[in-house]
Amino acid sequence: MTHSFAADNALPQSQHSPGPTPEGNAERSPERSPERSPERSAAGTALGAFGMVALIGVIALLLHMLAEHSPRVGPGYAGWAQETIGSPLAAVRWFLGDMTEPLFYKSDLGAVGLLTGAALAWCVGRRGVKWVGTLSYDSGLWPWVLASASMSLLLSNLVFGWVLDDGWQPTFVPFVCVAPAMVLLYGAGWRTCITGAILGAATTTPLALLFIPTVSAPLALPAVVASVLAMSVGSVISFLIARRLTWLVLREAREVRPATQAELPPSSLNRRVPADAVWAARRVLKDFTETHFFANELAGAGVILAVAAAFVLNPGLPSYGTGLLPHILFAQALTSAIGVTLWRGWYREGGWAATYASVVSVAPAAVLAYGGSWQGMVGGAVIGAILAPPVAKAISARLPTGFHPVIGNTAAMAISTAVALPLIGLLP
């Protein structure tokens, strides 16, 4: 899911960096989607998914060209971590940057775009407007998801921020695992919100700090492997503890919103292809915020456009100052499109697939590891899309009640990244 592999390679740092994700059970999304439909057609799905790749590819190309004429406004990435120790402004910016760290963006402006898009979807969606899509799996818990995740992130920065004196550290990891998953499992309320926040910060961040030098470094793997592994192990520990806390009660089936009326199979293939294309294009955008437990198109568009603006203003800030943001964006869109098209059958009847897993792990890690080469971009996108979703499905299917699928999803990210990067090196 996320991380700062670039930070490790592009800038002198003492440690390497990170990665994120969601829920449900193996056969459905974290909060089973109310959408029900027959299996999407291959033609329509591919048309929409790769159409979105083409659009994001154009944006990436423009960013690559505009980088040469950037006004270089504002600070760059170099030295940002160390500045947080003595500068409250730098610390706040780092906190916001952590919100997009799972996507390998590390941009405070990107976080503003992410939150603005999600807030817009929430406000407009509450009025019954359908085009904004669902938010946090149509659970109605998005404000609590955001609150718990933000509190956990704040705790991580407050307790472990002192280690930033040595350079980049995985302070971001609690934002995209235990806390939001706890809210989706146990429902709204300050007890759930605060409990998830504390458990997330107390388990995942220290584990990531431990795994980076003991797992990633010895195996010559990017820090994202250690970060997502910490998310998976930390989530297991947290949910084990949660089962013993008397004030936490799992949401019952009666709380799950009823499914909407099932979509009837279209009478014409010509009418089905456009509908499937629109669904696939939106699904790719959703994958950009699935790791945040938002899974919303507006939030996805918001973070993409905002981080693109940040790159134009100063290419030396997003994605750890590597200048590879355009390459990462393209690889992420490509791996999502391949995954959505390949595993489209899993979305049937309101089902779900972890097609986002490679978006926040294998694909961007490969771009950074191979310097933005076509080998890294395409190889990482393809291998990640093939490996990550089925591995996540297999692990999540074996989890007992009360253990969120985020465990399987993040474990799949670690496994897929560890397998994919060496394989890419073997490509001609």
Side-chain angles (χ1 to χ4, degrees):
M1 71 182 254
T2 207
H3 134 275
S4 179
F5 174 88
D8 311 334
N9 291 292
L11 299 170
Q13 314 218 61
S14 62
Q15 306 248 356
H16 302 0
S17 66
T21 112
E23 336 91 46
N25 70 30
E27 301 304 324
R28 61 182 177 83
S29 69
E31 294 296 312
R32 187 175 181 90
S33 168
E35 177 185 9
R36 297 176 65 83
S37 65
E39 183 173 337
R40 304 289 176 175
S41 65
T45 302
L47 179 63
F50 288 97
M52 184 57 66
V53 173
L55 176 59
I56 293 179
V58 170
I59 294 175
L61 181 59
L62 288 175
L63 291 179
H64 185 69
M65 296 169 60
L66 291 173
E68 300 178 3
H69 308 285
S70 171
R72 303 279 171 175
V73 175
Y77 179 79
W80 185 6
Q82 292 85 348
E83 290 174 8
T84 62
I85 305 301
S87 170
L89 178 59
V92 171
R93 290 182 55 241
W94 185 272
F95 170 80
L96 289 173
D98 273 352
M99 292 184 177
T100 61
E101 180 98 31
L103 289 163
F104 288 63
Y105 299 164
K106 195 61 180 183
S107 166
D108 48 338
L109 182 57
V112 172
L114 169 72
L115 298 179
T116 299
L120 179 61
W122 171 256
C123 294
V124 177
R126 284 171 61 84
R127 299 176 184 175
V129 179
K130 302 298 183 182
W131 63 264
V132 297
T134 59
L135 188 61
S136 291
Y137 316 103
D138 205 26
S139 64
L141 295 171
W142 177 72
W144 291 103
V145 165
L146 177 61
S148 187
S150 298
M151 289 175 59
S152 196
L153 179 60
L154 180 60
L155 286 173
S156 177
N157 275 266
L158 290 175
V159 176
F160 300 101
W162 61 273
V163 298
L164 292 172
D165 189 43
D166 290 330
W168 178 91
Q169 301 294 339
T171 52
F172 75 95
V173 289
F175 189 65
V176 288
C177 52
V178 176
M182 197 75 73
V183 170
L184 290 177
L185 281 178
Y186 291 96
W190 287 111
R191 289 185 177 183
T192 302
C193 182
I194 295 174
T195 301
I198 293 175
L199 287 177
T203 58
T204 58
T205 304
L207 283 174
L209 290 169
L210 172 65
F211 290 163
I212 288 174
T214 61
V215 177
S216 287
L219 297 177
L221 293 171
V224 61
V225 174
S227 297
V228 292
L229 180 60
M231 293 179 195
S232 185
V233 176
S235 294
V236 171
I237 296 172
S238 297
F239 296 134
L240 281 171
I241 295 174
R243 299 175 77 173
R244 298 180 177 276
L245 301 178
T246 57
W247 61 86
L248 294 181
V249 180
L250 288 171
R251 294 168 65 197
E252 297 179 1
R254 59 182 172 80
E255 298 182 36
V256 178
R257 300 191 175 194
T260 56
Q261 183 177 3
E263 298 178 12
L264 297 177
S267 59
S268 168
L269 178 61
N270 292 331
R271 293 166 61 184
R272 179 177 174 181
V273 168
D276 289 347
V278 171
W279 171 84
R282 294 173 67 117
R283 181 62 252 180
V284 171
L285 275 181
K286 282 187 176 186
D287 273 355
F288 279 82
T289 61
E290 186 84 46
T291 190
H292 300 87
F293 294 70
F294 294 177
N296 178 264
E297 302 91 311
L298 283 183
V303 70
I304 291 172
L305 293 177
V307 78
F311 184 81
V312 172
L313 290 174
N314 189 349
L317 176 63
S319 297
Y320 320 108
T322 60
L324 294 175
L325 176 68
H327 306 72
I328 289 174
L329 284 173
F330 177 74
Q332 289 174 319
L334 181 60
T335 197
S336 175
I338 295 172
V340 169
T341 302
L342 185 62
W343 309 110
R344 67 187 184 282
W346 294 354
Y347 288 99
R348 184 173 183 174
E349 297 299 326
W352 184 81
T355 51
Y356 84 98
S358 178
V359 172
V360 292
S361 58
V362 182
V367 169
L368 296 177
Y370 292 93
S373 66
W374 282 103
Q375 178 189 36
M377 284 192 296
V378 178
V382 173
I383 297 175
I386 293 173
L387 285 180
V391 172
K393 183 181 178 73
I395 297 174
S396 296
R398 290 161 175 77
L399 295 175
T401 300
F403 287 77
H404 196 281
V406 68
I407 296 170
N409 298 338
T410 47
M413 294 173 195
I415 294 170
S416 300
T417 304
V419 171
L421 293 194
L423 285 178
I424 295 171
L426 300 177
L427 297 176

